[in-house]
Amino acid sequence: DIKVKRTEYPKSIIFCHSYQDVSGIYASLIQHLGIDKTEPSGYPNVLKYRLVTMYSRATTAEMKEKIISAFTQQNSVLCTVIATTAFGIGLDCLDVHQIVHWGPSSKLEYYVQEISKMGSHSKAILMYKKLIITPQKP
């Protein structure tokens, strides 16, 4: 849990199909984290202190660059990005530990592109109709 592990929480991306899903999940997670949404706890809710942020069509181009930069840095406190699929395009960050899909991808090629951002010891999770589907190891 992010609230417990803080900056030790493994880098994660939650891919959503719509801005509404991105903003809804972000709002729920921020509410759950409360004062612990930043590192250190209680610091201003600005990107350099955030443990979690969102990335969508509503995010400005300048902020998109800052989010990608922060997420790809080894020592960044930003550990989770809730995003539309556009976040994965051009992202080079192989230390992503888990990718969660909030619903199935509309095309197999999108799914492959999104999970290609993960490292070799990572996991992909599909959330579909309140079910969690994870691949089983042979």
Side-chain angles (χ1 to χ4, degrees), residues 9-103:
Y9 190 80
K11 285 196 178 173
S12 304
I13 303 171
I14 302 172
F15 281 115
C16 302
H17 293 288
S18 69
Y19 169 76
Q20 290 80 11
D21 287 343
V22 170
S23 60
I25 294 168
Y26 176 75
S28 294
L29 191 52
I30 291 302
Q31 182 179 2
H32 169 74
L33 292 172
I35 195 169
D36 296 321
K37 66 183 169 271
T38 57
E39 179 61 35
S41 291
Y43 265 47
N45 188 20
V46 294
L47 183 60
K48 74 178 187 175
Y49 301 121
R50 279 187 203 151
L51 294 169
V52 177
T53 198
M54 60 185 254
Y55 183 108
S56 70
R57 69 171 187 252
T59 309
T60 65
E62 179 184 359
M63 184 55 76
K64 286 178 180 179
E65 287 179 26
K66 288 179 180 180
I67 291 169
I68 290 171
S69 177
F71 192 68
T72 56
Q73 289 178 4
Q74 290 287 88
N75 60 349
S76 174
V77 300
L78 180 60
C79 58
T80 301
V81 176
I82 304 157
T84 54
T85 55
F87 181 68
I89 298 171
L91 181 67
D92 185 20
C93 185
L94 293 178
D95 63 340
V96 174
H97 179 72
Q98 67 180 355
I99 293 183
V100 176
H101 286 90
W102 193 257

